[in-house]
Amino acid sequence: QVQLVESGGGSVQAGGSLRLSCAASRYLYTSIYMGWFRQSPGKEREGVAAIYIGVGSTYYADSVKGRFTISRDNAKVYLQMNSLKPEDTGMYYCAAPRAGSYPNDPNEPLKEYEYPYWGRGTQVTVSS
């Protein structure tokens, strides 16, 4: 069964930090890249960060550049979130594309339709 399991969410005050984890060992051996997405209240789901598994190169949405860092080891993908803002509140999802597939545009690896595999999410709440 395909599984991605997120953890590490919680409630913090603005300016605080959280580290999200995604248990994804199977995907780290078959995926070219993986991503983190979030859905804030009343908004559509949006891409936050992506990482190319083999080379380690990363991609970030403008809204999180300089504050969030995506990384991986042999078993998990992580999202370190610093300087959190209330607008970062939302459900955070880890996602994986089909095995061996590349994004249509390598400079835009956060197209939701390119990710068929999703975790159930972990809630992040940032209070002001």
Side-chain angles (χ1 to χ4, degrees):
Q1 184 175 353
V2 172
Q3 280 194 327
L4 293 163
V5 182
E6 303 93 338
S7 61
S11 297
V12 296
Q13 290 190 329
S17 298
L18 284 173
R19 189 191 195 204
L20 306 185
S21 298
C22 173
S25 56
R26 167 179 172 172
Y27 298 95
L28 290 166
Y29 289 101
T30 61
S31 299
I32 302 299
Y33 63 108
M34 292 186 65
W36 281 96
F37 291 76
R38 69 184 179 191
Q39 187 162 21
S40 302
K43 296 184 178 180
E44 294 185 353
R45 191 156 56 185
E46 63 174 344
V48 174
I51 186 168
Y52 285 90
I53 302 301
V55 298
S57 56
T58 56
Y59 176 90
Y60 298 95
D62 288 342
S63 59
V64 306
K65 280 181 182 176
R67 301 187 299 121
F68 289 13
T69 303
I70 187 171
S71 62
R72 88 285 186 253
D73 60 22
N74 289 337
K76 295 185 178 181
V77 179
Y78 303 95
L79 187 67
Q80 177 67 42
M81 306 186 297
N82 299 328
S83 302
L84 282 162
K85 304 176 181 179
E87 52 262 45
D88 294 319
T89 293
M91 187 70 78
Y92 282 71
Y93 300 90
C94 177
R98 288 184 175 79
S101 67
Y102 289 82
N104 288 336
D105 181 349
N107 295 314
E108 295 285 345
L110 285 171
K111 300 297 185 184
E112 187 174 341
Y113 65 84
E114 294 179 336
Y115 290 81
Y117 306 118
W118 295 80
R120 294 188 175 184
T122 185
Q123 178 67 37
V124 171
T125 302
V126 185
S127 58
S128 57

